[in-house]
Amino acid sequence: MRNVSILGSTGSIGRQALEIVRRNPDRLSVCALAASTNIVLLEEQIREFAPALVCVFDEKKAKELAENIKDLKTKVVTAMDGLIECACTEPADTVLVSVVGMIGVRPVIEAIKAGKDIALANKESLVTAGHIIMPLVKEKGVKLLPVDSEHSAIFQCLRGEESSKIEKILLTASGGPFRGKTAKELETMTAADALKHPNWSMGSKITIDSSTLVNKGLEVCEVKWLFDVDPDNIEVVVQPQSILHSAVQFSDGAIIGQMGIPDMKLPIQFALLYPERCDLSDKRVDLFELKSIYFEKPDTETFRALPLAYRALRQGGNMPTVYNAANEEAVAAFLKGGISFGTITDSIEDAMSKIGFIPDPSLEAILETEKETRAFVRDRNR
Ligand code: MG
């Protein structure tokens, strides 16, 4: 039996992870859950999965929940300390980190220090602190299992292969809801337009990131850290049907890819039950129905956030943090209708040229850069 702590249990990944637990009652059990504010759904999850510990990030909501579940033995904690308590809780074997944003960085680091295996769905932790996390993973001898569909695909392609034989990572992208649009057309796009993703159903922040290609930019950064690949050897390939989830090209020219329907349950289950490949009785790709899949180069002139991510990754230091924090701040403003679509990428570009460069930032310096960048973007877009 593997005990799982789920940080971000009411979000899209968290809910699907609990579905995997539900389907594998003799393999998986839940020892901790953490959510931001949705205490109605969290209470349902607590009553079904009976975790010993839960965190509600919002302190007021945490009090409210504690009151509502007085009849249970579950302990309720709150804020960053509470989130870290859930990440390090003694019974947990695996911590699924599916919170959105840089809020995930500290819990990831603390969980690794506590010797937990990590199922990582939070992009920001590796993007901003990969240089701290990867050596720590090695030192503590824990597993870092990617949950993102592309990284899970690459991870699956590399089973039994030597990473020294990787020639190139072919990181696939759907191209997002605005693929094929011109920069002029993008000017008038609203949050509602961006939230209509053609293939994947995801949370709102990641769906916007998918429409700007920031999401792919963050994934390029993650590939570098997860698989120790130079940015020059990471190629983004647009595959609009989202059937090929990524591929690896090896030094003998062989390309091995992983295909499947666009459904996060597979990568979530693969990470939670690794190294076992367990049954999943959902839909299959029907190759005869599909007939063909096709590939395109990404339009990096219109979607400048992608080349900007490569620039941030090559610069290294705190630059990926600047890239990410500027995006987080700008996307929040865009979702509230405060700025235009194009302003998201402009904010990132501006922040990258204005915020001071730190070559090898500590965790404190990363969090400081985050604050500084957010303030800069807020000010810029006021
Ligand atoms: Mg992805």
Side-chain angles (χ1 to χ4, degrees), residues 208-265:
I208 303 298
D209 288 352
S210 163
S211 70
T212 53
L213 294 201
V214 164
N215 183 53
K216 211 45 60 179
L218 298 175
E219 290 181 358
V220 169
C221 300
E222 283 189 288
V223 165
K224 175 204 149 75
W225 292 113
L226 280 169
F227 307 109
D228 193 20
V229 178
D230 191 88
D232 293 338
N233 300 328
I234 306 169
E235 183 160 18
V236 174
V237 179
V238 176
Q239 203 288 284
Q241 300 122 310
S242 301
I243 296 297
L244 178 69
H245 297 313
S246 278
V248 180
Q249 182 175 314
F250 292 93
S251 58
D252 61 355
I255 294 178
I256 299 182
Q258 186 250 320
M259 292 167 71
I261 56 162
D263 184 336
M264 288 306 292
K265 282 200 286 298

Side-chain angles (χ1 to χ4, degrees), residues 123 148-150 215-216 219:
K123 294 197 162 81
D148 208 341
S149 61
E150 293 82 356
N215 183 53
K216 211 45 60 179
E219 290 181 358

Side-chain angles (χ1 to χ4, degrees), residues 22 63 78 80 93 109 162 192 198 240 247 262 268 278 311 357 360:
R22 199 176 280 127
K63 278 197 192 116
T78 186
M80 183 50 82
D93 303 302
I109 291 176
E162 276 173 51
I268 293 168
C278 297
R311 200 169 97 194
F357 180 65
D360 185 21

Side-chain angles (χ1 to χ4, degrees), residues 249-292:
Q249 182 175 314
F250 292 93
S251 58
D252 61 355
I255 294 178
I256 299 182
Q258 186 250 320
M259 292 167 71
I261 56 162
D263 184 336
M264 288 306 292
K265 282 200 286 298
L266 189 157
I268 293 168
Q269 173 171 290
F270 194 77
L272 292 182
L273 292 167
Y274 180 82
E276 217 185 329
R277 188 182 283 282
C278 297
D279 301 346
L280 200 54
S281 59
D282 292 73
K283 231 181 113 192
R284 302 291 189 247
V285 173
D286 181 335
L287 294 178
F288 300 110
E289 199 182 298
L290 180 69
K291 288 192 177 73
S292 67

